[in-house]
Amino acid sequence: MSTPRSHIVVMKFGGTSVEDATAITRTANIVAGRVRKGLNPIVVVSAMSKVTDTLLAAAAAAGKNDREGALRLSDGLRTRHLKTAGDLVSGDRLTSLQLNIHHDFDALDDLLRGISAVGELTPRTEDNVVSFGERLSSQMVAAAFAEQGMSSTHVDARTVILTDAHYGKATPNEHAIENALVSQVLPLVDLGKVPVMGGFIGSCDGITTTLGRGGSDYTGALVGGGLHAGAIEIWTDVNGIMTTDPRICADALRVKTISFEEAAELAYFGAKVLHPATILPAVQKNIPVWVLNSRNAENEGTKIVATPPPCASPFKSIAAKKKLTIIDIVASRMLLAHGFLKMVFDVFDKHHCAIDMVSTSEVSISVTVDSKEALPAICAELSQIADVKYESNKALICLVGEDIRGHAGISGQVFTAISHVNVRMISQGASEINMSFMINEEDVEEAIRSLHNRFFVSPDPTVFDTEARTVVAGKV
Ligand code: ASP
Ligand code: MG
């Protein structure tokens, strides 16, 4: 394993942290702060907020021969980028940035015209269209940093993030990326420069690829992992991972440290801070990943580590996922005969419908899914081998904590806390760090509040930001 470069910090900024000139200036100040501390930042940025969605909409319009519609969307984006550039930099720097922006939008428009002419959008072309978001934002951010007196350099991420040709969700080649980082990015860092690159985008044999939606975190982790950085910072617009949704529970607390596995469990359940699979390249090298708030840079955020410190509370966080459907499949004749589960799963698989939770009894199997589109087709097929019925508007509540293991009788405590709520289906997470159960959607708030009151009355101050609660309480 390579030697850690503890002076390098990879700082990834999401769409809201680069959404306009104010946000980019705030981002520049945060990065300058790290430089003042003697650290060497490498900055990875998302496209400006909503730009990715707009580019995808433009590509889709072009794919349906709607040339004008596609170009109108592109025009709106051109105006927004030029306006932001004008707000951020001036003089020669502005002239050259404007030129680059026009150059990119001209290329994008050519592409959109081409797509409309053939009326066909391939995944490869779609990746090309959508890559403009990060290509543009990274150039603007690099220029803004320079304007603020930082020695920044723009790096085209496509020369570094080398992937396979799976357009739309390419798999990075970590070995090739590490080599590219060492030969192209490290020398810049060694010169005291701040490299700025777009997240999400990469290339395969010179053709643009993308890592999938939300892929900028992945880029951050690949860069941090590849260079064995001292830390990776994911800058978003929340204070970190919370004990539960603060909109439901006003006394939700920030979790100071959480394990990678706990974060992974939570990510699935609406705690949309980041997608943990994407930070795996960092976790594997034991590089801490921080989730921080660019609107509240003083806040310490949440640190995600491979092995968390012991916690006196059984749970770190409670999350909920709504809009689920539960499907009961009763196979009375087959008594769950050998091969039955496989047949059931194959049907879901065939319709690309992911199953969230499964529970089985002697004659029946219940599964939950989060999309309804394929259900009529799935049920039609399943009814050839079983009796099938489904119920929508369900929600999954999930309690996550590494320390569930050490607490005897924990499920008793959980279900006592919500004894007034009707529980439909229970799953003991195979990972042993997750307890989840299914309830009606309308009971979610009540269940979360009851559980939070039960399990976070006296939270462990080494793991949770209890000071925030003292401050709030002090004000009352
Ligand atoms: N801009 C891309 C997206 O919106 C990647 C990212 O922001 O992480 O999915
Ligand atoms: Mg994101």
Side-chain angles (χ1 to χ4, degrees):
M1 192 180 269
S2 53
T3 357
R5 297 184 175 93
S6 54
H7 56 104
I8 294 183
V9 52
V10 175
M11 306 176 76
K12 180 263 168 176
F13 291 88
T16 53
S17 305
V18 296
E19 67 187 350
D20 55 19
T22 314
I24 295 176
T25 305
R26 208 161 39 213
T27 292
N29 290 333
I30 293 171
V31 175
R34 291 290 183 271
V35 175
R36 275 199 300 279
K37 276 193 178 166
L39 291 166
N40 287 113
I42 298 175
V43 175
V44 173
V45 294
S46 288
M48 297 173 81
S49 61
K50 314 238 166 57
V51 167
T52 303
D53 290 336
T54 309
L55 287 168
L56 286 172
K64 292 188 196 122
N65 300 106
D66 180 7
R67 180 169 174 268
E68 295 318 310
L71 292 175
R72 210 174 314 117
L73 290 171
S74 162
D75 264 358
L77 291 179
R78 188 190 293 244
T79 309
R80 178 171 169 204
H81 282 80
L82 287 170
K83 154 109 179 55
T84 308
D87 290 344
L88 280 170
V89 299
S90 56
D92 287 349
R93 195 170 282 127
L94 178 58
T95 314
S96 103
L97 182 58
Q98 281 166 336
L99 265 175
N100 289 344
I101 293 174
H102 280 302
H103 178 269
D104 276 359
F105 276 103
D106 292 347
L108 172 63
D109 288 353
D110 279 347
L111 196 57
L112 292 172
R113 282 189 204 98
I115 299 168
S116 340
V118 287
E120 190 202 0
L121 179 65
T122 63
R124 171 172 157 171
T125 317
E126 187 176 65
D127 268 0
N128 195 353
V129 170
V130 81
S131 73
F132 280 92
E134 271 74 9
R135 286 156 66 178
L136 287 152
S137 65
S138 54
Q139 291 181 64
M140 294 203 310
V141 169
F145 285 7
E147 188 86 0
Q148 301 240 334
M150 255 185 280
S151 168
S152 66
T153 315
H154 178 249
V155 174
D156 187 336
R158 295 171 298 170
T159 64
V160 176
I161 304 300
L162 306 170
T163 71
D164 69 3
H166 190 311
Y167 298 104
K169 204 174 180 34
T171 303
N173 176 342
E174 290 188 33
H175 185 67
I177 291 173
E178 191 174 324
N179 288 339
L181 284 164
V182 169
S183 66
Q184 295 177 52
V185 181
L186 198 55
L188 301 171
V189 173
D190 289 342
L191 286 170
K193 292 186 185 287
V194 177
V196 179
M197 55 197 269
F200 176 59
I201 60 177
S203 71
C204 173
D205 297 331
I207 310 292
T208 301
T209 56
T210 64
L211 302 176
R213 291 306 305 268
S216 295
D217 293 342
Y218 202 178
T219 307
L222 288 165
V223 174
L227 286 177
H228 214 151
I232 295 174
E233 299 177 348
I234 307 284
W235 289 86
T236 68
D237 53 5
V238 294
N239 282 342
I241 294 174
M242 306 291 287
T243 50
T244 196
D245 185 342
R247 286 166 304 184
I248 297 178
C249 236
D251 57 355
L253 297 167
R254 176 172 56 89
V255 184
K256 293 202 261 190
T257 314
I258 198 164
S259 75
F260 171 74
E261 276 169 69
E262 290 167 331
E265 294 284 340
L266 281 173
Y268 173 74
F269 294 90
K272 290 202 191 66
V273 178
L274 83 175
H275 195 301
T278 63
I279 60 166
L280 209 74
V283 173
Q284 280 163 344
K285 290 193 173 162
N286 239 330
I287 303 172
V289 178
W290 294 84
V291 177
L292 295 155
N293 186 352
S294 65
R295 291 173 203 269
N296 184 14
E298 298 309 306
N299 191 285
E300 286 167 35
T302 298
K303 186 183 185 186
I304 305 173
V305 293
T307 324
C311 176
S313 323
F315 301 118
K316 297 278 178 16
S317 185
I318 308 169
K321 188 173 188 197
K322 292 191 183 178
K323 298 205 180 79
L324 298 180
T325 299
I326 208 168
I327 305 153
D328 294 316
I329 303 151
V330 182
S332 44
R333 279 170 295 129
M334 309 185 67
L335 290 172
L336 292 197
H338 173 75
F340 179 72
L341 287 181
K342 180 174 185 315
M343 276 173 358
V344 169
F345 291 140
D346 283 349
V347 173
F348 283 89
D349 197 43
K350 187 174 141 198
H351 294 275
H352 302 287
C353 183
I355 294 173
D356 293 325
M357 194 165 139
V358 182
S359 89
T360 54
S361 75
E362 195 64 23
V363 293
S364 75
I365 154 170
S366 298
V367 304
T368 67
V369 299
D370 69 356
S371 72
K372 276 197 260 187
E373 292 102 65
L375 280 187
I378 290 175
C379 289
E381 214 166 301
L382 285 175
S383 55
Q384 293 168 14
I385 53 169
D387 291 332
V388 191
K389 60 179 194 318
Y390 62 90
E391 271 176 74
S392 300
N393 303 325
K394 301 288 162 203
L396 200 54
I397 301 280
C398 165
L399 297 107
V400 170
E402 294 264 6
D403 302 271
I404 299 178
R405 294 186 188 101
H407 286 73
I410 198 71
S411 41
Q413 292 173 35
V414 167
F415 293 111
T416 307
I418 51 152
S419 54
H420 52 306
V421 172
N422 180 20
V423 175
R424 179 67 167 71
M425 188 172 156
I426 302 171
S427 144
Q428 300 280 351
S431 61
E432 283 187 31
I433 64 163
N434 156 348
M435 276 184 61
S436 29
F437 53 87
M438 182 75 61
I439 60 176
N440 290 329
E441 232 173 49
E442 70 253 24
D443 294 332
V444 164
E445 266 98 45
E446 174 56 29
I448 286 194
R449 274 189 220 112
S450 305
L451 290 165
H452 201 269
N453 288 343
R454 170 67 186 77
F455 291 104
F456 293 95
V457 251
S458 48
D460 184 339
T462 57
V463 177
F464 304 99
D465 180 14
T466 48
E467 270 167 44
R469 185 175 281 179
T470 323
V471 173
V472 175
K475 274 189 192 157
V476 178

